[in-house]
Amino acid sequence: MSDHYTVLGLYRKVETITKAGDPIREAFGVKDGDIEVLSSAAYPDGALLDDKELLHQVESRQFLFPFLMGFVGFGAGVILAGGTGYIMNLIVGGKSPFTYAPTGVITYEFTLLFGVIGSVLSLLYYAGLPNWTDRAYDPEVADGALGLLVKVYSKEDQEKAAKIMEDYGAYKIKKGVNDF
Amino acid sequence: MRTLKESIKVKSFNYKKHNDYSWSMIIDLDRCNGCGACVIGCQAENNVATVGEEEVGKKRNMHWLRIERYIEGEYPHVKVRFLPMMCQHCAQAPCESVCPVYATYHNPEGLNVQVYNRCIGTRFCGNNCPYSVRYFNWFDSSFPEPVNNQLNPDVSVRERGVMEKCSLCMQRIRRGKDTAKDEGREVQDGDIQPACAQTCPTGAITFGNINDHESKVYKMAHSGRAISLFEEKGTHPAVKYLKGGTNDVIG
Amino acid sequence: MSLDDNVKRSADAGVAGGHHGDVMALPEIESFRDPETKAAKAHYDDADIYRDEKGFNEHTLRPMFFTTKSYFIFTLALGLVMAQGLGFFVYQTFVGLGMAGIHEPVYWGAYIATFVFWVGMSHSGTIVSSILRLTQANWRRPILRAAEAMTAFSLMVAGLFPLIHVGRLWRAYYMVPLPSQRMLWPNFKSPLMWDFCAINIYLTGSMTFLYIGLLPDLAVARDKAIAMGNWRRHYLKVLALGWRGSHREWSVYNKCSLFLAVIILLIAPSVHTIVSWDFAMTMTPGWHTTIFGPYFVVGAIYSGIAAVITLMITLRILFNLDDVIRKFHIDALGKLLLVIAIIWTYFYFCEFITNWYSHKPEEWEVMAWQGHRFPYHLMVMLGGSCLTIFCLSWRRFRSCMPCMFALTLLVNCGMYIERYLIVVPILSRRDNPFMWTDYTPTITEVGIIVASFAYFIFLYAIFIKLFPIVTMADVKEGVIVSGDVRLGRHAVRVQVKE
């Protein structure tokens, strides 16, 4: 895999950063996945950057994780509560080895447990976490700065992108290699 | 090939069709005079711990079989009635299904069995027993010299923290069945006698196989005097009582 | 190096640029100070901290990074209380459960009542948090973390009680479905087994919920800790998972929070329903009622919200968070508490009147026996319903911090006694009149229960020092998505909802 270069520009105002996104995309034909906005709080989709299409793709698949895991949990619950009870077959209280209501209770709980696990997995998978490597980032993002992060494939493009960002009001530029 | 539904049915119900024995105990309330010999007989047979005066005062006595005394009427017209109470070995035992670790379950001969080694002591069974006949080992039981010499080797001594209760003298049932098997016959009346039945001076307690229609217990259970305790609870006990009331024991 | 020094240094170096105030492009806050706008006053009755995000970060992280001497003394005192409880517990484990006051047939006593109480406490946090998240209630934002942490910690405390209460602690693992040569398998028909599953699953779920909620704030705390060279950076780096706050992360994260909120909302009521089924599934008169499920759930939310209010006021005072947790929040929570109090009172009455009217001897005996403890009942009625509903109806009362503090404590005292009345008197008056007895807790039980409260506070105190206690990301989001609209002489706060 060839190297890529990144530019991170920090902005202070929402208005400024919204203007900087499009020129950069146009200048290099940056794909949806190669441009990012870093912020300390969740902005509504498309408020800072027009990447709705990509996110729409992600979101339409994200629910599958808890959903499918829920099915797994359902199966686990049925097997655990009903199946083992049937196999082990010890009679208690005149009840049949397979009982519907207790199996239902356990199945409900397990479905939800696996749903929780699925939700977390969906977050980790689609957000690309955990990633403890040194990535393009600036601690000032945590203090309210907005970062525009772009990925390009040559040194010249990197310089150009930095230039555009500065022109559009970035007060700080950070350049990096292979750390998108 | 049986269907799932059929096999579930066969496995769960109708023990009585598939097993030769279904143990039952009949207690004649008219014959009970409340002497308490059965309590001592049970205690000696089953290594039931003695807990001492103070603990008994806190209602922590361990008697698997206890004589409940009820007083009717106002002084001076008082009648005292006795009710020997032990585990009723319910066919649909409330205590069994609530145990999270299967420490108590129903064995194929209709007995409610307590497995001490499985018990973790949640005491849920005790809470769900309407007869309050399950006992908890609050402390380690002690059998100081020379009491330890009379411990029954057939019965395990229970650790602290487990539930215990009347087993209808399981060890004697085993021995009776073995003897009968050696002699190549079915168990008959009188082969097996739990400690309480053996001790009872008035013969109020009878034990036997209710599947055998010639047995004493079968006849007594169908005598018209037979009742189950807390019948409205729907527990279907294996222990049945013969109604008393005609005979004033003390009065 | 302190946080303040660091701020100065970076300011001197010209890195930070100084003008952080304009990041949030907020409307002029001064306009809200207009004395004519009452609603605005409720929002902004203190110094406004939201304007400056850096200042806000430092302010809300201050309880985490700066520790006073009195904190150490306080935790030490808590440790001593816990130590005595541990002593009692160890003694009880080695000598036998007879150290507790329970006996035949009151097999469950104060331990189980306390267990129910703690499980109940755990219900406010996540339920409140997920309901408010789903309904996008704007005022929820600063209090989420504190409420969710309460859930996790009270569950951790609650989970200890079944262990304290079992006869053979060293065999308690028999309840775990581990395939082994011993051929031991748990009985999934037992309500206790459901309870075991539900509590563990709820603990997993609420911990996850808490952690996922923490994630963006962990990143903020991580950056601060690295800048300060604080020792917390080691675990914060790992736990923050390399969070950068990219839009993709936020988008996926919000979706995940939504999933979790829905799932938790499904789990939480089922947990307390199952706890109530520990009682309702038995055939014990007084326990065997269908009303127990919803009654317990409402009771749980009730005591939980009261506890959240108590906690909020405590945090507000102890850590000078009065500009984050405002009177307005306590007022809003008070309204919620009022609604739940009314629902709970309804259930309380329902349970009573059905028993009273049918007058079935075995159930009425239980009722009458409970009636012997009239002072307790008075406490439940006052704390649980009458007094609470009356007081909470007044706005002036709801925004009076000491009054709310006292009232919510009273509510929880009432609810504790209610749990006690559910467990103990019913067992004292079982079906078999020969076995009727009474029960009083022993010093062992009291010691352990007191220690459990200390343990809860201890966990909370530790948490505050290790993690950000205010939901910073949510607060910032709230600032972003809200603005004001002028209607004549009034300024109205509006919020963008998706």
Side-chain angles (χ1 to χ4, degrees):
Chain A
M1 198 183 128
S2 61
D3 283 355
H4 68 257
Y5 302 88
T6 60
V7 189
L8 172 67
L10 292 183
Y11 295 79
R12 284 201 203 97
K13 287 197 172 181
V14 180
E15 288 77 29
T16 336
I17 196 167
T18 44
K19 280 172 198 151
D22 287 336
I24 291 196
R25 288 164 81 108
E26 280 161 24
F28 307 102
V30 178
K31 283 179 293 186
D32 257 354
D34 286 356
I35 185 159
E36 260 301 358
V37 180
L38 307 185
S39 60
S40 67
Y43 282 79
D45 285 352
L48 300 180
L49 193 70
D50 185 23
D51 55 355
K52 268 194 163 171
E53 218 166 284
L54 175 81
L55 290 173
H56 182 71
Q57 272 180 9
V58 170
E59 278 183 13
S60 62
R61 285 186 213 132
Q62 201 183 345
F63 85 99
L64 283 175
F65 271 78
F67 193 72
L68 293 179
M69 284 299 272
F71 269 106
V72 175
F74 185 88
V78 171
I79 291 169
L80 198 62
T84 58
Y86 182 70
I87 296 163
M88 307 285 185
N89 188 25
L90 213 50
I91 301 299
V92 286
K95 291 183 170 57
S96 115
F98 181 89
T99 42
Y100 291 99
T103 308
V105 173
I106 299 286
T107 306
Y108 179 81
E109 293 295 327
F110 271 81
T111 309
L112 294 175
L113 171 69
F114 278 72
V116 168
I117 297 169
S119 308
V120 176
L121 287 182
S122 81
L123 171 70
L124 298 183
Y125 181 76
Y126 284 111
L129 299 174
N131 187 340
W132 287 292
T133 54
D134 253 345
R135 292 194 291 171
Y137 181 67
D138 194 285
E140 279 185 44
V141 171
D143 282 338
L146 295 165
L148 184 63
L149 177 64
V150 70
K151 177 170 154 188
V152 291
Y153 294 95
S154 71
K155 261 226 139 104
E156 300 82 60
D157 283 357
Q158 189 186 27
E159 293 300 326
K160 252 196 231 165
K163 183 84 181 37
I164 297 175
M165 279 189 191
E166 251 174 356
D167 290 348
Y168 279 88
Y171 71 90
K172 185 176 172 187
I173 300 284
K174 270 189 156 182
K175 294 171 195 162
V177 183
N178 282 341
D179 59 352
F180 184 72
Chain B
M1 187 82 188
R2 281 186 312 201
T3 64
L4 183 69
K5 207 173 172 185
E6 280 169 358
S7 64
I8 289 173
K9 258 189 190 158
V10 170
K11 279 182 177 178
S12 54
F13 306 117
N14 304 328
Y15 284 135
K16 286 172 190 167
K17 279 180 193 160
H18 291 271
N19 292 288
D20 298 336
Y21 302 118
S22 177
W23 304 115
S24 180
M25 183 179 265
I26 310 287
I27 296 165
D28 191 340
L29 293 180
D30 264 355
R31 288 191 178 201
C32 176
N33 62 8
C35 68
C38 50
V39 178
I40 301 303
C42 172
Q43 182 143 15
E45 170 72 16
N46 290 302
N47 301 340
V48 175
T50 43
V51 291
E53 201 178 342
E54 196 188 322
E55 291 296 306
V56 172
K58 291 183 192 165
K59 279 257 181 189
R60 284 176 178 170
N61 47 330
M62 310 282 300
H63 303 144
W64 285 6
L65 168 57
R66 61 172 188 256
I67 304 287
E68 294 187 353
R69 189 180 62 185
Y70 296 100
I71 299 167
E72 283 176 16
E74 295 290 326
Y75 180 81
H77 308 289
V78 182
K79 285 179 186 171
V80 180
R81 306 235 177 262
F82 300 102
L83 180 78
M85 177 72 100
M86 79 285 274
C87 174
Q88 304 287 306
H89 294 272
C90 314
Q92 292 189 15
C95 58
E96 287 169 358
S97 47
V98 296
C99 178
V101 288
Y102 281 123
T104 175
Y105 76 103
H106 218 73
N107 88 349
E109 291 174 2
L111 294 184
N112 179 302
V113 189
Q114 178 75 19
V115 188
Y116 308 120
N117 281 337
R118 272 190 201 151
C119 181
I120 60 172
T122 64
R123 306 191 289 292
F124 202 169
C125 50
N127 276 348
N128 205 12
C129 176
Y131 309 95
S132 301
V133 287
R134 293 181 146 267
Y135 302 95
F136 187 70
N137 284 274
W138 301 100
F139 297 104
D140 269 327
S141 48
S142 63
F143 297 93
E145 289 275 354
V147 188
N148 59 349
N149 291 321
Q150 68 93 44
L151 285 176
N152 185 352
D154 291 340
V155 180
S156 58
V157 173
R158 277 77 59 183
E159 193 183 11
R160 71 167 188 272
V162 303
M163 294 299 285
E164 59 182 61
K165 62 164 193 70
C166 163
S167 64
L168 282 186
C169 287
M170 176 65 100
Q171 66 283 5
R172 292 189 177 208
I173 295 175
R174 280 278 160 83
R175 200 183 305 139
K177 272 165 69 185
D178 283 352
T179 317
K181 197 180 157 201
D182 290 346
E183 292 169 10
R185 58 179 175 85
E186 297 254 301
V187 175
Q188 292 160 357
D189 266 0
D191 279 359
I192 303 168
Q193 264 206 321
C196 52
Q198 187 185 13
T199 324
C200 184
T202 58
I205 302 174
T206 318
F207 178 86
N209 173 15
I210 206 164
N211 270 1
D212 176 5
H213 290 203
E214 299 304 311
S215 68
K216 261 191 199 168
V217 283
Y218 182 82
K219 284 172 184 160
M220 289 165 107
H222 292 80
S223 69
R225 276 174 74 209
I227 53 160
S228 305
L229 288 184
F230 301 155
E231 209 161 345
E232 76 280 4
K233 296 268 173 193
T235 51
H236 306 297
V239 176
K240 290 191 167 53
Y241 291 82
L242 299 186
K243 264 187 284 195
T246 49
N247 222 351
D248 294 344
V249 179
I250 305 167
Chain C
M1 190 168 70
S2 77
L3 195 62
D4 294 330
D5 291 346
N6 187 55
V7 176
K8 267 185 213 140
R9 269 167 54 114
S10 54
D12 292 342
V15 181
H19 307 286
H20 282 280
D22 57 359
V23 170
M24 295 276 95
L26 257 188
E28 286 171 37
I29 298 298
E30 289 307 314
S31 63
F32 285 97
R33 296 260 158 135
D34 192 347
E36 288 160 66
T37 58
K38 259 191 183 174
K41 255 188 96 177
H43 279 272
Y44 297 97
D45 53 354
D46 304 300
D48 197 276
I49 194 73
Y50 299 157
R51 291 185 75 186
D52 170 13
E53 193 169 340
K54 185 160 191 166
F56 173 73
N57 282 348
E58 270 155 27
H59 183 73
T60 45
L61 287 177
R62 188 170 289 273
M64 178 177 167
F65 285 110
F66 296 98
T67 311
T68 55
K69 210 179 208 172
S70 51
Y71 172 84
F72 287 109
I73 296 169
F74 181 64
T75 24
L76 192 71
L78 285 177
L80 288 179
V81 179
M82 278 155 63
Q84 63 85 21
L86 189 70
F88 276 124
F89 171 57
V90 170
Y91 189 69
Q92 178 194 285
T93 309
F94 280 93
V95 171
L97 213 72
M99 294 314 294
I102 31 186
H103 53 75
E104 166 99 28
V106 188
Y107 277 127
W108 290 356
Y111 288 148
I112 293 298
T114 317
F115 165 73
V116 178
F117 175 76
W118 280 117
V119 177
M121 287 274 272
S122 75
H123 273 64
S124 58
T126 41
I127 284 196
V128 168
S129 153
S130 48
I131 288 179
L132 297 181
R133 254 179 222 263
L134 291 176
T135 54
Q136 304 191 5
N138 208 21
W139 59 269
R140 73 175 199 270
R141 297 179 185 281
I143 64 168
L144 288 186
R145 175 78 28 76
E148 284 161 17
M150 206 183 90
T151 293
F153 297 143
S154 45
L155 259 184
M156 281 160 76
V157 177
L160 289 181
F161 275 92
L163 294 178
I164 293 169
H165 137 108
V166 294
R168 298 206 296 171
L169 177 64
W170 51 97
R171 292 279 181 260
Y173 68 91
Y174 284 0
M175 281 183 83
V176 185
L178 291 170
S180 74
Q181 215 173 10
R182 284 172 282 119
M183 291 298 282
L184 287 168
W185 195 255
N187 173 13
F188 285 101
K189 290 178 201 94
S190 163
L192 270 194
M193 203 56 217
W194 311 343
D195 201 4
F196 176 76
C197 292
I199 296 278
N200 279 313
I201 287 169
Y202 189 39
L203 187 61
T204 315
S206 56
M207 287 290 224
T208 313
F209 199 51
L210 175 66
Y211 176 64
I212 296 297
L214 258 172
L215 199 51
D217 295 351
L218 283 176
V220 175
R222 169 199 66 193
D223 294 346
K224 289 281 172 235
I226 291 173
M228 289 164 71
N230 190 288
W231 58 271
R232 290 175 180 82
R233 68 183 183 277
H234 298 295
Y235 70 84
L236 286 173
K237 254 187 211 167
V238 176
L239 288 180
L241 302 179
W243 177 271
R244 289 192 297 179
S246 72
H247 188 213
R248 187 190 176 107
E249 279 168 5
W250 278 117
S251 184
V252 173
Y253 171 84
N254 280 346
K255 200 86 181 177
C256 175
S257 305
L258 184 72
F259 296 153
L260 282 177
V262 172
I263 294 171
I264 288 286
L265 205 52
L266 290 171
I267 295 181
S270 83
V271 173
H272 217 59
T273 306
I274 287 173
V275 169
S276 83
W277 284 348
D278 283 349
F279 306 104
M281 290 292 147
T282 64
M283 50 170 62
T284 311
W287 276 0
H288 186 65
T289 59
T290 47
I291 205 174
F292 261 32
Y295 184 29
F296 269 53
V297 173
V298 170
I301 298 173
Y302 186 29
S303 67
I305 292 178
V308 167
I309 296 176
T310 316
L311 200 73
M312 290 300 153
I313 297 173
T314 317
L315 287 179
R316 185 183 141 101
I317 293 165
L318 284 183
F319 297 106
N320 294 323
L321 291 174
D322 17 0
D323 36 13
V324 180
I325 301 165
R326 294 167 188 233
K327 280 184 178 174
F328 162 74
H329 293 119
I330 307 295
D331 180 51
L333 278 170
K335 283 179 197 160
L336 199 58
L337 190 66
L338 175 61
V339 174
I340 304 285
I342 292 168
I343 301 175
W344 184 81
T345 309
Y346 160 74
F347 275 112
Y348 189 63
F349 183 68
C350 276
E351 197 208 12
F352 171 76
I353 196 168
T354 45
N355 278 335
W356 176 80
Y357 205 94
S358 66
H359 232 279
K360 274 170 83 181
E362 66 267 32
E363 280 175 359
W364 183 248
E365 185 58 41
V366 172
M367 275 277 149
W369 178 245
Q370 282 181 331
H372 284 283
R373 293 120 190 270
F374 187 69
Y376 291 162
H377 264 275
L378 194 68
M379 181 81 184
V380 175
M381 280 186 277
L382 273 183
S385 59
C386 305
L387 193 65
T388 317
I389 293 175
F390 178 77
C391 291
L392 287 175
S393 307
W394 307 99
R395 178 187 283 276
R396 189 169 288 180
F397 189 92
R398 288 198 305 267
S399 48
C400 160
M401 294 299 121
C403 310
M404 284 298 275
F405 188 79
L407 183 75
T408 49
L409 276 185
L410 182 71
V411 167
N412 264 323
C413 289
M415 292 309 287
Y416 186 89
I417 292 169
E418 194 245 340
R419 270 65 181 261
Y420 185 83
L421 288 177
I422 281 177
V423 176
V424 173
I426 288 174
L427 287 178
S428 306
R429 289 293 180 270
R430 295 283 304 278
D431 311 72
N432 189 345
F434 186 75
M435 298 302 283
W436 285 356
T437 52
D438 200 2
Y439 157 86
T440 30
T442 57
I443 185 81
T444 309
E445 281 162 302
V446 174
I448 291 177
I449 288 164
V450 168
S452 81
F453 283 87
Y455 180 50
F456 174 75
I457 302 170
F458 179 77
L459 283 174
Y460 218 97
I462 298 288
F463 179 80
I464 288 173
K465 291 298 157 195
L466 295 182
F467 299 101
I469 191 65
V470 177
T471 333
M472 294 147 71
D474 259 9
V475 172
K476 291 172 191 170
E477 191 192 347
V479 175
I480 290 165
V481 298
S482 57
D484 66 334
V485 171
R486 274 205 163 264
L487 275 176
R489 306 198 319 158
H490 288 270
V492 184
R493 195 79 173 158
V494 292
Q495 186 200 352
V496 181
K497 289 192 182 182
E498 285 175 45

